[in-house]
Amino acid sequence: MRESSVRGERSRPRVRDAEALGWDETLYEGQGRGDEESEPRERGRRGGGGRRRAGGPRPPRRRRRILRWFATVLSVLILGTAGAGYLYYEHLNSKIKKDKLSLGDEKNRPAKAKANAAGQTPLNILLIGSDARDTKENQKLGGAKETFGAAPLADVQMLLHLSADRSNMSVISMPRDTLLQIPECTDPDTGQVFPASTGRLMTNQSLGRGGPGCTVATWEQLTDIHIDHFMMVDFAGVVSMADAVGGVPVCVTANISSRDRQGHGSGLKLEKGTTPVKGKQALQWLRTRYGFEDGSDIARAKAQHQYMNSLVRQLRANATLSNPTQLRRLAETATDALTVDEGLGTVGKLLALGNQLKEVSPKRITMTTMPFQYVGSRVEPKRGDAEKLFRLVREDIALDGKDKKKSTAEETSKDPAAADDEIGVQVQNGTRTATLDPVGGRANAVAQLLVGKGFTKAAADASVALTEDKTIVRYPSAELEGDAQAVAKSLGVPLSSVEKSTRVSGVTLVVGADWREGTAYEAKAEDDKSPKSAKLLNGANDKACMRVNPAFTW
C-alpha cells in the first residue's frame, strides 16, 4: 500500500480537469511544520500538512497570490507554480506517497459523523509528523545516529476537525509520550500482524506497527471519532516549506539557547522578542523541548501551535511567493515529503480539500492539547476532561464556544414501534474509558433490566467492550427507528442519544461510561464548554510568546 501513485492505481486526469484546477495560473502556497529535537536517547520531530488551490474566476491580483491559509494548520504545503500544465500535474501526482487509512479492525471503526440539516458533514484529518531517519537529508536534520534504520515514531499527532458548515476548525494535539493501549494492526506491505498491546505503550510507537494507519486506529479507539484522512510529513519537507514563506514570526520571553551540557536540545538560538524563523531554524523551533517552560512535550506542543497560528496569519497577510521557480521547487519538495491516505492520493483531491480549509478565518481556529495527567514521567488522558473534549468534536461543537445554539427539541419517529416483547435488543458494554477498565457484567445487568420492563428478547453481547462516554441506542435502518426510541424511552435515555448506524445489524443499546452502576439512568445536562484544562489558543492571537526556562538563556 505504501507506494507512489505512479506505481499504484493512479487515474490520469483529463486535460479539462487540469484546466479546471487552474494550472495555467499561479497557485496558492502552503507551508509545513515539523517538530522535536535530537537527543542521545530521545528522538522526535514533526511534520504537518497543507496544500493550496487555484483556478476559478480570477479574484483581484493581490488576493490570487496570497497563500490561502489552508497550509496553516495542516502544516504541509502542497504546491504552487505558474503554467505547470497537464504534464506537470501528472508528474506531481506520481510523487505523492499513499498508505492505507486504517490498519485496525474495520468492524470496530467509529461511525462517520451525521450530516447537519443542510446535508453537510464535518471532516476529521490526523496530521502526523514522522521522525524517520530514512534518507540522508532526514538523518542529517534529525541526528541521533543510533536511531538510523529504526522503526519511525509518530512524534507529532494532531487531530484537525473542520466543522460541517466550514465556519470553524479545532486542532487537538496529543503528547507523544501519552500512554495508551494500541489496537491490533496489520502491515499492508508485509502482512505482519502486530497484536494489540497488553499494556499501555507510548502513542508515538503506533507508527512503527504497520504505518500511519495504525496511528489512525489508535486515535479512533481512544476518541471514538471517525477519522476521514491522514497526512504525514518528514523533517526535510518542513525545512523546505519554511523557506518558501520567507520566515514565520515567533516570540520568546528571553534569549534562548536550546542545548545543555550533555548535548540535549534542538540547537535553537534566538534573541528575546519576535524573530522570523525559516528553514532549519523553523525545524528547531518546532522540535524544541529543552528551553521552553518546563522542558516537557506539553510546552513543545504549545510552541507548535503558536508557530502554526503565526503561519496562518503570515500567509493571509502577504503575497511573497510569486516566483514560479521558487514555487516549482516547493511543489517538488512538498510532494516528496508527503504521505497521505488513498482518499487524498492526487493533487486534485488535495487542492479540493484545501478549498474547504481556506474558508475558516483565524478567529475561528482553536488549538489545544488533550487534557492530561502525569504518570511518572509520562502522561495519560485526564479522565472527564479528555473525554469531554472528544465528545465536543464528535458532536461537531466548536471548541471556542461561538457556535449558534442548536435546537434541543426531540423528534419522535414516524415509524411505529413493535410490541416491546417483539423487539430484539443487543446490549453492549461501553463503560470502558481512557483511564478505567469496563465494568464487568454491565451489559448483562442492563439486559436483565430490559427483560424486566417487557423487552423479553433483550440479550447481552459479551463479545465486545466498547468506549462510549454516554449511553446510546443505535439502529441500522429507518424501519427500526421506532423500536430504538421505544427502548430508549423505557430507560429514560434521551432521544438525542438514539442514532442510525451501519455499525449494528439490529437495535443495539450501548451502556456508556455515564451509567457504570445502578438500575436508573439519569441523563446529565450537557455542558458544551471546553474544559479549562484544555487551555485553548485562538488562531488570531498575535501576542502569544513562549516562556523561556532561565537555565537556557544567554
Side-chain angles (χ1 to χ4, degrees), residues 140 187 191 197 214 246 308 465 509:
K140 180 179 179 181
D187 190 310
S197 62
C214 193
M308 292 167 69
L509 168 67

Side-chain angles (χ1 to χ4, degrees), residues 77-205:
L77 154 134
I78 277 277
L79 15 158
T81 186
Y86 173 74
L87 292 178
Y88 193 60
Y89 176 92
E90 281 285 88
H91 166 68
L92 292 176
N93 262 348
S94 72
K95 291 162 66 70
I96 299 174
K97 295 176 286 294
K98 297 180 291 185
D99 214 327
K100 189 174 179 181
L101 175 60
S102 175
L103 302 184
D105 186 346
E106 284 294 320
K107 294 183 295 184
N108 291 330
R109 292 194 66 196
K112 292 186 177 181
K114 293 181 180 179
N116 62 15
Q120 302 165 303
T121 54
L123 271 178
N124 295 306
I125 305 166
L126 189 63
L127 311 179
I128 303 171
S130 164
D131 80 337
R133 271 72 164 177
D134 53 354
T135 66
K136 289 184 178 180
E137 188 172 5
N138 282 333
Q139 289 172 356
K140 180 179 179 181
L141 291 168
K145 292 183 179 181
E146 70 277 9
T147 66
F148 291 6
L153 298 174
D155 276 346
V156 165
Q157 300 175 39
M158 295 184 178
L159 179 64
L160 184 154
H161 173 81
L162 180 64
S163 66
D165 63 6
R166 305 309 188 247
S167 68
N168 66 86
M169 184 181 299
S170 302
V171 181
I172 302 175
S173 290
M174 184 184 295
R176 66 170 186 169
D177 56 0
T178 301
L179 296 175
L180 296 175
Q181 286 191 315
I182 298 178
E184 176 181 298
C185 295
T186 302
D187 190 310
D189 289 341
T190 66
Q192 179 180 356
V193 177
F194 293 86
S197 62
T198 54
R200 296 192 300 176
L201 302 176
M202 284 174 56
T203 182
N204 63 354
Q205 294 183 38

Side-chain angles (χ1 to χ4, degrees), residues 18 59 96 190 221 229 236 241 326 329 474 535:
I96 299 174
T190 66
Q221 176 175 276
H229 300 291
M241 291 182 235
Q326 184 183 35
R329 176 176 58 81
R474 296 190 171 108
K535 298 180 181 178

Side-chain angles (χ1 to χ4, degrees), residues 31-35 46-49 69-76 127 156 158 160 169 171 173 248-250 285-286 301-315 362 365 367 537-539:
Q31 155 78 29
R33 171 229 63 181
D35 192 303
R46 228 83 306 121
W69 95 261
F70 164 43
T72 352
V73 183
L74 283 188
S75 319
V76 185
L127 311 179
V156 165
M158 295 184 178
L160 184 154
M169 184 181 299
V171 181
S173 290
V248 176
V250 295
W285 173 275
L286 293 166
K302 184 186 296 186
Q304 292 166 8
H305 294 163
Q306 290 186 16
Y307 178 94
M308 292 167 69
N309 281 341
S310 181
L311 173 62
V312 179
R313 297 191 298 269
Q314 188 80 349
L315 295 178
I365 300 170
M367 297 195 182
L537 179 64
N538 184 268

